[in-house]
Amino acid sequence: MFRNQYDTDVTTWSPTGRLFQVEYAMEAVKQGSAAIGLRSRSHVVLASVNKAQSELSSHQRKIFKVDDHIGVAIAGLTADGRVLSRYMRSESINHSFTYESPLPVGRLVVRLADKAQVCTQRSWKRPYGVGLLVGGLDESGAHLYYNCPSGNYFEYQAFAIGSRSQAAKTYLERRFESFNESSREDLIKDAILAIRETLQGETLKSSLCTVSVLGIDEPFHSLDQESIQKVIDTFEKVPEEEEDSGEAEAEAEAAAAAAAPAEQGGAGDQDVAPMEM
C-alpha cells in the first residue's frame, strides 16, 4: 500500500488533505477479527469472533472489562487494544477513588479519543492500530460508542467493526429499530446472529465467539460457552424443523392430487392422450 513521500510521517499532509498513516491505522482495524456491539434501554451486549493464528494456538481475548459498568471490544492490533483498555481501567479507578462515583461512559470515551488524537499530531508516535467498541451503563442510560484510530468517536445503537463486518452491519441495519425495546435474551440472540453473518458459511459454534453483557443490576461479564451454545441451538434447529414440516405437507398435497383423477374414473380418461414418459 505504499503511496508516495507523503506517507512516511504521520504529521505530513498530502496535497489532497489526507494523513496516510492514519488511514493505514484505520485499515488495520478492518483486517482484525470482527467485533459487534448492541444496546437497548437497559442492556449492552458485546460480541467478538475468536480467531486463532493457527490450529496449534489459542485465540487472543478481544473483549475486556473496564469496570462493572463498562466493557470494551476491539478489532485490529490486540496489543494496542490491551494497552488502551488498561488506560481506561486506570481512568475509571482514579475517578471512582476521587469522586466515589462511577465514571460516566461519555467522559471516558472523550479521554480515550483525546489520547488517540495526540498520536496523529506527534512525528515520533504512530496512531493506535485498533478500533474500540465501548459499551457502558450510567445515570443517563445505556451507551455504545465506537472509537476510531483518528481520534473520532461516534455513538451507535448497534455497530460492527473488523473483517467482514459489512455483512453484520447489513443485518443490524435491518433490525436496529427494535433494539431499543429488546430484552436481554433478544439482544444476545441478535449479537450471535450478527456474528454468524461474518463467518461466511463457516458453521457457528460457541467456541468461535465470545459474548459479554451488562445491564441494570448486572455487572459486566462474559457468558460461558454452554449458555452461548444453548442460544445457538434455538435458531440453528428451528429451520430444520420447518423444512421437515414443509416436506411432509408437500408429500400430502402430491398424494391428494394423484388420488383425484382415479376417483373421477373412466369416460373422461379415454379422450386424453397418454403422457410421454
Side-chain angles (χ1 to χ4, degrees):
M1 290 182 62
F2 180 78
R3 305 282 181 112
N4 46 39
Q5 68 269 29
Y6 299 107
D7 66 354
T8 58
D9 191 343
V10 72
T11 61
T12 301
W13 291 94
S14 75
T16 57
R18 299 165 67 180
L19 294 172
F20 286 120
Q21 285 204 12
V22 176
E23 294 183 15
Y24 296 163
M26 296 169 68
E27 187 65 27
V29 177
K30 297 178 183 178
Q31 301 299 324
S33 55
I36 292 167
L38 307 86
R39 70 176 175 90
S40 65
R41 291 183 184 274
S42 58
H43 288 84
V44 179
V45 174
L46 299 175
S48 66
V49 175
N50 298 336
K51 186 177 180 182
Q53 292 293 327
S54 71
E55 294 181 357
L56 300 178
S57 68
S58 62
H59 66 275
Q60 291 186 310
R61 288 176 57 201
K62 298 290 184 178
I63 298 180
F64 301 94
K65 178 180 178 180
V66 176
D67 204 339
D68 285 342
H69 68 296
I70 300 177
V72 59
I74 67 172
L77 296 180
T78 306
D80 285 3
R82 190 173 60 247
V83 169
L84 289 177
S85 65
R86 189 184 305 124
Y87 165 79
M88 296 169 68
R89 197 175 298 119
S90 175
E91 289 293 308
S92 182
I93 291 173
N94 290 338
H95 185 279
S96 298
F97 179 79
T98 304
Y99 300 102
E100 297 183 357
S101 64
L103 175 61
V105 184
R107 190 176 303 175
L108 177 61
V109 168
V110 171
R111 293 179 186 176
L112 182 63
D114 290 344
K115 185 177 179 65
Q117 192 276 336
V118 168
C119 294
T120 68
Q121 239 180 337
R122 302 289 186 270
S123 61
W124 61 90
K125 293 185 177 183
R126 66 161 176 82
Y128 291 104
V130 64
L132 300 98
L133 289 175
V134 183
L137 192 69
D138 55 26
E139 294 179 353
S140 59
H143 301 279
L144 176 68
Y145 292 92
Y146 169 54
N147 276 76
C148 184
S150 64
N152 290 323
Y153 63 93
F154 310 91
E155 186 169 10
Y156 288 93
Q157 184 74 44
F159 198 57
I161 58 176
S163 176
R164 297 195 292 268
S165 61
Q166 186 56 51
K169 288 179 186 177
T170 302
Y171 172 83
L172 295 173
E173 287 169 0
R174 294 198 307 264
R175 299 272 300 162
F176 81 96
E177 292 181 352
S178 64
F179 289 161
N180 208 34
E181 305 298 333
S182 293
S183 65
R184 174 184 182 274
E185 289 71 22
D186 289 339
L187 273 186
I188 294 173
K189 182 177 179 180
D190 282 319
I192 295 176
L193 284 170
I195 285 289
R196 185 176 66 171
E197 295 294 322
T198 68
L199 299 179
Q200 291 189 345
E202 189 175 354
T203 303
L204 177 62
K205 297 181 292 185
S206 60
S207 59
L208 292 179
C209 61
T210 300
V211 180
S212 298
V213 60
L214 69 89
I216 298 175
D217 298 326
E218 183 179 8
F220 184 84
H221 68 283
S222 296
L223 302 181
D224 55 54
Q225 290 194 356
E226 292 182 1
S227 300
I228 298 174
Q229 189 61 49
K230 287 180 181 179
V231 178
I232 294 174
D233 291 341
T234 58
F235 58 77
E236 288 288 357
K237 293 181 179 180
V238 169
E240 296 178 1
E241 295 174 356
E242 292 178 351
E243 289 177 4
D244 293 341
S245 62
E247 291 176 359
E249 291 176 0
E251 291 176 358
E253 290 176 0
E263 293 176 356
Q264 293 175 1
D269 294 341
Q270 295 176 358
D271 300 330
V272 178
M275 295 180 62
E276 295 182 359
M277 298 300 292

